[in-house]
Amino acid sequence: MSNILNVGVRALQANQAALSTAGHNIANSATVGYSRQVVKLATVEGQFTGGGFIGKGVEVAAVERVYDAYLTRQAALSKSVSAQDVARAEKLLQMEQLFGTGTTGLGAAVNEMLNAFSDVASAPTDLTARTVVLTRANETAKRFNDTATQLANLQRGLTEELENGIATVNTLVQGIAEVNRQIQSVQGLGQSPNDLLDRRDQLISEMNKYVQTTTLDNNDGTISVFVAQSQPVVLGTRALALKVASDPQEPTRSELRLVNGSAEVKLQDGMLGGGSLSGLMRFQNEDLAEAQNLLGRMAVSITTVVNDQHRLGLDLDGDPGADLFTPIQMADGVAFANNAGTAQIGLSVADASQLRATDYRVTFTATGYNVERLSDGSSAAVDAGPPPTVDGLALNFSGGAAAVGDSFLLRPYANAAASIQTLFASPRDLAVASPVQASMGTTNTGGLAVGKLAAGTLPVPANVVITFTSGTQYTRSDIPGSFTYSPGTPITHDGGTPPAWTLTLSGAPQPGDTLTVGAINPAYAPLDANNAKALLDLRDMQLFDGAPLSDGYAALIANVGVRAQSAEYAADVSKSIADGLEQQRAGVSGVNLDEEAAKLIQFQQAYQASAKMLQVAQSIFDALINTVTR
Amino acid sequence: MANTFTRLGTANTFDAARQTLQTRQSTLADLQAKLTEGKRVTRASDDPTSAAQAERAQTRIARITGEQRALEVQKSAIQLGESTLGDATALLQEFRDLLVQAGNGANSPTERETIAKQLVSLRDELVTLANRKDANGMPLFHGLGSTAAPFEVSADGTVPDPDYSFNGLPGQVGANDVAIPGTLDGRATWMDVPESNGVFKVGLGAGNRGQAYSDVGLVKDAALMGAQGTDFSVQFSVDATTGAASYTVTNNQPPATTAPALPYTPGQAITLGGLTVVVKGVPANGDTLELRPAAAADRPSVFGVLDRAIAGMFEPGSSTKGASSTSANFNHELAISLAQVDTSLERIGAVRGRAGDLLNRADRIHDTQEDRSVQAEGDRSRAEDMDMIQGLSDFQNQQTSYQVALQTYASIQKLSLFDFIR
């Protein structure tokens, strides 16, 4: 009888615990990171009697949280990758807005500026047409400046986001250390502190959204957390801090560091693995840098070739043309902090058509130096020169000697677009006349016509007379020998790179026809427009990895667009993977309200049955008492 | 542990359903924005290759527009040049008519002076025509380069010495597939008129006292001319008693040979090697005719031709006294001037024809450029414009699927076991 009473009481208690656990689950069904708890019931060992072991009822062995470590870890990792992709995709979509297409874009401004020279070629003395060119050139410079400023703002916003993110991570890290301490203190009690464990898992999952972590279980119940594969950020109950600092070789860019006492360790971008901070770092170091380089290269190439051609012309007063845009001053190479030597590297443009949109790293070895392109990691060949050139850039070494192992970071294009401006506003200073003239012989009988005549270098050399000996052969006064003539094939002045002038003829000459090429008669210069035509021809010059100048911007927006599109796709894919894994994890650990409702009914009935059992025990006792009282 | 393969967490299913709704809604909004703009590609990331194609097509269209504008300027300049040459032809015709009128033996020297004045004003007009500029201030006959007024006239309007010069570069700019030259070759039009008939010139001897004169002559036998040259002298002798005239022909090419004398009658043709000249008028004894090769250096300009014709109206050495009808010099100069004016007319006609060719070419270029522009616009449209029918049908689909998502969310999420527990 006392047994049945005990059994009943135990059953009541067990079912009550089960009911409150079910209630706890229902209450927390929407709590993020909550793992459902299940009451584990165990039978109490039977009492040995002569007739067999009589069971003693049920007791609550443990309240377990239903938890799959593998799925939880996978879900956290996939969320981390998804956060990285989403952060990068968002930033790329923002950056893409800066490179607009159509008539308000940079490409349209550059093309309009060059197209305006065609009106000047039709009317060289018309000051209005010249003013239009200058206005458009100014507009082009302003659009370059604006885009560069926007990119710089994007960088500043990114740094702020990094700082905010790091502040949150530091808070989370502190939280994890605190929970570790709490778990450690209750470790000895023998039961698992489910809610504390859930909270720690949730904190780690939150942190993974910012930066991917690796965890290591310690014997005392605490978890050590590492970022960037191997840098510890929580060791047991001790938390270290992360910080954002500016890159010593490139002060506008940021890098992440771990603060360990007085030492700071840089977190390598490639090792971060995942998380929104990793996405932002990747965007900064790859996509933003690429966009800045593409923009800067476009600015450098266009202003260099336009300036070079403009300087070859004569303005309305007969003076040689000056630079139309500010000549690009490229930043010197930045020496690595630990360089032992004292060498310095300056940069200038040697060949605008060979420029590539990338940063470079120069590393000195025992046999010289290597140049590596940072955009794709390939090695760039150095043309000995002098001066040594690589990808169209001339390297000007100065200062002392470099020691083996010294390295320099070269960023020639990063800030080029921000500083370009037009240098003059007077329309008379626009140099559209060419310093070279071509004059046909007065007794010519054939149908020769001049297609193009452009100067290549100054000063213009002495007159060269070309005499046609037949319809397909000619001789010239500067080089002996007979040459073949075909309409449209350029005839160049001998000597010099580029040659002093290039002439293209059309039509069929008769034997005896002559042509003289030499310096222009100053009286004819005001009405000459051959330099304007040469500036128009710049539109077809192959500048951007082989694409003509007028199509350079299209290639740029395609580059940025492809990056943004693939980042979007990556974000979609990783998001759906993360969602799938989270669904699986929730399938194990999440609360299902219908299930809890069913369990409520089940344990309610059991509770009622146990209560009934007590009632029966009561009535047995009553019966017994009634029997023995008189 | 219970089998969790088919188990779902409630909070998770709510989250997932909400996300689906958000995704559908944002797709719908994006599609709506695209439909409003009418573009399939609003950002480069929507379709990078199409965005780049559209940008390139835009560049081409802008470039063709600029080239068409320049072509219009060139075309109107050449049209003005062509009509200027038409005016010049009319002027030269008038000049020629006046010359013929002056040659009429019935006119008196005074009348010739009057005609000379008219000729002067025609010449001045012609110089103005040659220096004409187009609407942009470019001389029409600019050639490869020139000053603002290529045909120099002295500050006081008198004929410059030497002959008119073309202050410019001879030659022509070539046409290509997007442009024609905007100027004509001034030198080819107005300068270097062949002297006399272009091969040889006939001059009256300085001491001639008679009235014999010749025409410009022609080449009868080119091979013989090649053998015997174009350097001859003809000497007339008149028999003092009979008055019969005869002439001898001397070939001045070393060694100089003189043919035997032949009788002369006015109006006959005289043969000199491969050349013939028709001599009219009665010579005096000892009069000579000199034939020389026409030197390239002596080629006058059209204005020079006119000046020579004007000078021929007056007595030799005078610029005010008209010539008499029988003056050998007058008749000789008149013959030469008429021939040279004809040559000038041919010259100008040829350049006018070339201007006409250029205008035809300009029309063809214009049409080709129009086609190119249409094609570029088509490329751009294909790359970035939205096919409205496709877009609207997609929009309808998205709208329907959004509606379905909303309805299913509303109905399924309502189901719960708690509803059925009393």
Side-chain angles (χ1 to χ4, degrees):
Chain A
M1 180 200 46
S2 67
N3 192 31
I4 201 173
L5 207 60
N6 283 334
V7 169
V9 166
R10 282 215 177 96
L12 272 180
Q13 283 174 336
N15 286 316
Q16 201 169 33
L19 275 170
S20 42
T21 306
H24 182 66
N25 281 344
I26 291 173
N28 282 305
S29 68
T31 308
V32 179
Y34 174 76
S35 314
R36 68 192 165 108
Q37 293 168 356
V38 171
V39 159
K40 240 185 133 180
L41 301 171
T43 55
V44 181
E45 276 194 24
Q47 173 84 49
F48 177 73
T49 63
F53 283 92
I54 307 221
K56 293 223 280 199
V58 70
E59 66 175 354
V60 174
V63 177
E64 269 185 1
R65 103 191 144 116
V66 181
Y67 168 77
D68 184 335
Y70 174 71
L71 277 177
T72 308
R73 172 107 195 103
Q74 285 299 97
L77 278 178
S78 67
K79 279 200 201 106
S80 160
V81 171
S82 169
Q84 171 189 286
D85 288 338
V86 166
R88 186 164 165 253
E90 276 177 3
K91 282 275 173 264
L92 271 169
L93 286 175
Q94 267 184 18
M95 186 171 84
E96 184 190 43
Q97 305 275 18
L98 302 179
F99 296 102
T101 60
T103 51
T104 52
L106 258 178
V110 169
N111 279 314
E112 275 180 17
M113 170 182 78
L114 288 176
N115 285 346
F117 277 106
S118 131
D119 291 324
V120 179
S122 303
T125 50
D126 182 3
L127 292 180
T128 317
R130 286 163 176 258
T131 311
V132 166
V133 170
L134 288 174
T135 313
R136 296 238 174 109
N138 204 22
E139 176 69 24
T140 304
K142 276 226 293 287
R143 284 196 194 169
F144 270 113
N145 296 148
D146 281 346
T147 312
T149 312
Q150 301 271 34
L151 285 175
N153 286 344
L154 207 58
Q155 170 70 61
R156 267 196 288 275
L158 192 144
T159 306
E160 271 179 30
E161 254 187 79
L162 281 174
E163 284 170 2
N164 287 343
I166 285 290
T168 314
V169 167
N170 282 340
T171 317
L172 289 170
V173 158
Q174 297 283 352
I176 292 174
E178 175 60 25
V179 173
N180 268 343
R181 197 190 57 73
Q182 289 175 349
I183 289 175
Q184 189 188 47
S185 60
V186 301
Q187 186 69 11
L189 296 176
Q191 294 286 5
S192 75
N194 291 331
D195 296 314
L196 286 175
L197 290 173
D198 273 347
R199 189 145 122 234
R200 187 173 64 186
D201 283 338
Q202 182 54 27
L203 285 172
I204 292 178
S205 172
E206 279 290 317
M207 192 168 151
N208 264 319
K209 287 203 195 123
Y210 288 92
V211 57
Q212 188 170 309
T213 59
T214 338
T215 54
L216 209 56
D217 291 337
N218 298 327
N219 291 339
D220 59 356
T222 59
I223 282 189
S224 292
V225 179
F226 300 86
V227 295
Q229 313 288 354
S230 57
Q231 302 297 337
V233 96
V234 175
L235 283 171
T237 54
R238 188 173 146 239
L240 288 83
L242 296 172
K243 73 181 268 201
V244 179
S246 55
D247 188 333
Q249 284 199 305
E250 178 52 56
T252 52
R253 291 214 285 225
S254 307
E255 60 180 21
L256 300 176
R257 294 193 191 157
L258 177 72
V259 179
N260 195 349
S262 57
E264 290 182 3
V265 180
K266 175 179 164 178
L267 300 179
Q268 298 292 343
D269 310 326
M271 310 254 277
L272 282 174
S276 65
L277 294 181
S278 163
L280 290 176
M281 290 302 293
R282 208 172 136 202
F283 170 76
Q284 175 192 262
N285 294 335
E286 291 180 20
D287 305 310
L288 187 59
E290 176 89 356
Q292 280 175 327
N293 282 337
L294 280 169
L295 183 71
R297 178 185 70 163
M298 199 170 153
V300 169
S301 300
I302 291 177
T303 55
T304 307
V305 300
V306 169
N307 275 350
D308 285 347
Q309 189 63 50
H310 191 257
R311 277 203 303 275
L312 287 171
L314 301 172
D315 66 15
L316 203 51
D317 300 316
D319 300 320
D323 284 326
L324 178 55
F325 292 105
T326 15
I328 294 288
Q329 299 286 351
M330 287 189 177
D332 290 345
V334 179
F336 189 48
N338 295 347
N339 275 2
T342 55
Q344 285 171 358
I345 307 182
L347 294 169
S348 55
V349 177
D351 182 357
S353 62
Q354 304 280 340
L355 298 178
R356 293 237 227 162
T358 170
D359 299 334
Y360 296 91
R361 174 161 291 125
V362 174
T363 320
F364 283 87
T365 62
T367 51
Y369 56 87
N370 295 330
V371 180
E372 183 198 357
R373 292 189 197 108
L374 291 181
S375 63
D376 55 1
S378 62
S379 172
V382 179
D383 181 359
T389 56
V390 59
D391 286 345
L393 289 170
L395 305 173
N396 309 314
F397 291 99
S398 62
V404 175
D406 280 0
S407 82
F408 293 83
L409 176 66
L410 307 180
R411 296 197 76 200
Y413 311 113
N415 296 314
S419 53
I420 71 171
Q421 280 178 345
T422 48
L423 281 181
F424 60 83
S426 163
R428 294 189 72 88
D429 291 337
L430 197 64
V432 298
S434 174
V436 198
Q437 73 179 25
S439 162
M440 305 270 186
T442 53
T443 54
N444 282 7
T445 48
L448 266 184
V450 174
K452 267 190 229 172
L453 174 63
T457 53
L458 293 174
V460 181
N463 287 2
V464 172
V465 180
I466 295 174
T467 314
F468 286 86
T469 51
S470 76
T472 52
Q473 294 286 326
Y474 66 89
T475 61
R476 26 192 308 176
S477 63
D478 56 344
I479 314 173
S482 179
F483 304 88
T484 315
Y485 162 71
S486 65
T489 316
I491 299 174
T492 59
H493 181 260
D494 183 45
T497 317
W501 47 255
T502 312
L503 172 71
T504 314
L505 297 171
S506 63
Q510 292 288 334
D513 283 354
T514 63
L515 176 67
T516 310
V517 183
I520 197 170
N521 183 330
Y524 304 157
L527 288 177
D528 187 82
N530 275 328
N531 205 38
K533 291 187 188 158
L535 281 158
L536 281 173
D537 285 341
L538 287 180
R539 292 177 301 191
D540 297 323
M541 184 173 177
Q542 303 224 319
L543 268 195
F544 304 112
D545 303 320
L549 189 153
S550 53
D551 288 342
Y553 188 65
L556 194 158
I557 58 169
N559 189 317
V560 174
V562 163
R563 279 167 185 263
Q565 192 188 43
S566 54
E568 267 184 287
Y569 289 164
D572 280 344
V573 166
S574 56
K575 182 140 197 335
S576 65
I577 292 177
D579 286 347
L581 282 171
E582 174 62 20
Q583 193 183 30
Q584 279 193 314
R585 188 201 71 83
V588 171
S589 309
V591 173
N592 186 316
L593 285 177
D594 293 339
E595 190 188 46
E596 299 304 318
K599 280 206 268 198
L600 272 182
I601 297 174
Q602 179 189 356
F603 290 121
Q604 191 189 21
Q605 280 188 342
Y607 189 84
Q608 280 174 333
S610 319
K612 198 73 187 163
M613 219 187 337
L614 281 178
Q615 207 183 18
V616 165
Q618 170 91 25
S619 61
I620 292 175
F621 188 66
D622 282 342
L624 192 62
I625 291 296
N626 284 341
T627 312
V628 297
T629 21
R630 270 245 298 114
Chain B
M1 200 184 298
N3 185 359
T4 58
F5 187 64
T6 53
R7 197 174 166 279
L8 289 172
T10 309
N12 183 261
T13 44
F14 271 102
D15 280 341
R18 265 204 307 276
Q19 280 205 352
T20 312
L21 287 178
Q22 292 287 358
T23 313
R24 295 267 161 90
Q25 196 176 33
S26 80
T27 314
L28 199 59
D30 188 47
L31 200 49
Q32 186 191 23
K34 286 199 167 77
L35 271 176
T36 318
E37 268 196 64
K39 281 194 173 27
R40 188 175 59 88
V41 177
T42 46
R43 296 182 308 225
S45 60
D46 291 335
D47 188 346
T49 12
S50 297
Q53 268 178 359
E55 182 78 7
R56 276 198 296 272
Q58 197 77 44
T59 308
R60 278 208 301 281
I61 292 170
R63 182 163 171 169
I64 291 173
T65 312
E67 284 165 356
Q68 292 280 58
R69 207 172 39 242
L71 187 67
E72 286 305 308
V73 170
Q74 287 149 3
K75 207 169 132 179
S76 70
I78 299 288
Q79 269 170 344
L80 190 58
E82 201 253 343
S83 78
T84 303
L85 288 174
D87 294 342
T89 307
L91 273 174
L92 279 175
Q93 288 284 10
E94 217 183 306
F95 196 94
R96 194 183 193 283
D97 291 341
L98 281 172
L99 281 184
V100 169
Q101 190 186 342
N104 189 335
N107 283 329
S108 71
T110 326
E111 275 155 5
R112 293 209 176 88
E113 285 162 24
T114 317
I115 288 176
K117 287 199 183 69
Q118 286 178 289
L119 293 177
V120 166
S121 78
L122 283 176
R123 184 210 69 206
D124 290 339
E125 241 187 281
L126 204 66
V127 176
T128 319
L129 281 183
N131 281 327
R132 197 181 260 181
K133 299 187 182 42
D134 71 0
N136 289 321
M138 283 285 271
L140 293 175
F141 299 98
H142 174 83
L144 287 176
S146 79
T147 57
F151 295 96
E152 197 178 1
V153 179
S154 305
D156 60 1
T158 56
V159 174
D161 178 26
D163 190 10
Y164 288 87
S165 55
F166 172 57
N167 285 324
L169 303 167
Q172 179 82 48
V173 176
N176 55 32
D177 61 347
V178 297
I180 58 167
T183 59
L184 297 168
D185 186 354
R187 192 168 184 106
T189 314
W190 301 104
M191 310 293 290
D192 283 348
V193 178
E195 215 187 354
S196 282
N197 58 24
V199 182
F200 64 90
K201 57 185 177 190
V202 188
L204 301 175
N208 281 11
R209 288 167 294 111
Q211 279 137 16
Y213 66 89
S214 82
D215 68 355
V216 288
L218 39 89
V219 175
K220 216 46 187 299
D221 188 338
L224 207 49
M225 173 185 84
Q228 301 203 354
T230 51
D231 195 350
F232 292 92
S233 303
V234 176
Q235 178 143 30
F236 291 95
S237 17
V238 177
D239 192 311
T241 46
T242 59
S246 62
Y247 67 92
T248 56
V249 173
T250 309
N251 188 334
N252 293 327
Q253 245 183 339
T257 47
T258 306
L262 291 167
Y264 164 73
T265 42
Q268 77 164 82
I270 294 181
T271 310
L272 310 95
L275 319 171
T276 47
V277 294
V278 173
V279 184
K280 298 194 180 119
V282 177
N285 190 31
D287 279 353
T288 55
L289 289 177
E290 302 293 331
L291 264 75
R292 296 283 177 272
D298 295 336
R299 290 155 78 107
S301 64
V302 170
F303 319 108
V305 164
L306 301 187
D307 282 342
R308 185 171 175 175
I310 292 167
M313 291 287 127
F314 300 106
E315 287 284 317
S318 162
S319 58
T320 46
K321 193 156 177 302
S324 79
S325 306
T326 53
S327 159
N329 183 60
F330 168 70
N331 286 312
H332 186 71
E333 287 295 304
L334 187 66
I336 292 177
S337 294
L338 279 171
Q340 288 190 304
V341 166
D342 285 339
T343 317
S344 306
L345 276 168
E346 273 173 28
R347 268 298 201 71
I348 289 176
V351 178
R352 198 171 169 202
R354 182 170 158 76
D357 282 341
L358 284 175
L359 289 173
N360 284 341
R361 188 160 178 174
D363 285 336
R364 281 196 297 273
I365 291 174
H366 181 88
D367 291 340
T368 314
Q369 291 279 66
E370 285 285 319
D371 289 342
R372 281 201 193 120
S373 182
V374 166
Q375 189 196 19
E377 177 61 29
D379 286 342
R380 189 204 64 78
S381 177
R382 257 195 313 277
E384 75 175 358
D385 282 349
M386 166 160 297
D387 174 5
M388 273 310 175
I389 297 177
Q390 173 86 23
L392 279 174
S393 129
D394 282 345
F395 186 74
Q396 292 283 26
N397 281 344
Q398 290 292 341
Q399 219 177 8
T400 312
S401 63
Y402 184 51
Q403 247 178 326
V404 163
L406 286 172
Q407 277 176 324
T408 49
Y409 182 84
S411 55
I412 289 180
Q413 307 299 118
K414 273 198 308 235
L415 297 173
S416 173
L417 189 53
F418 283 102
D419 294 337
F420 300 102
I421 301 178
R422 282 175 291 102

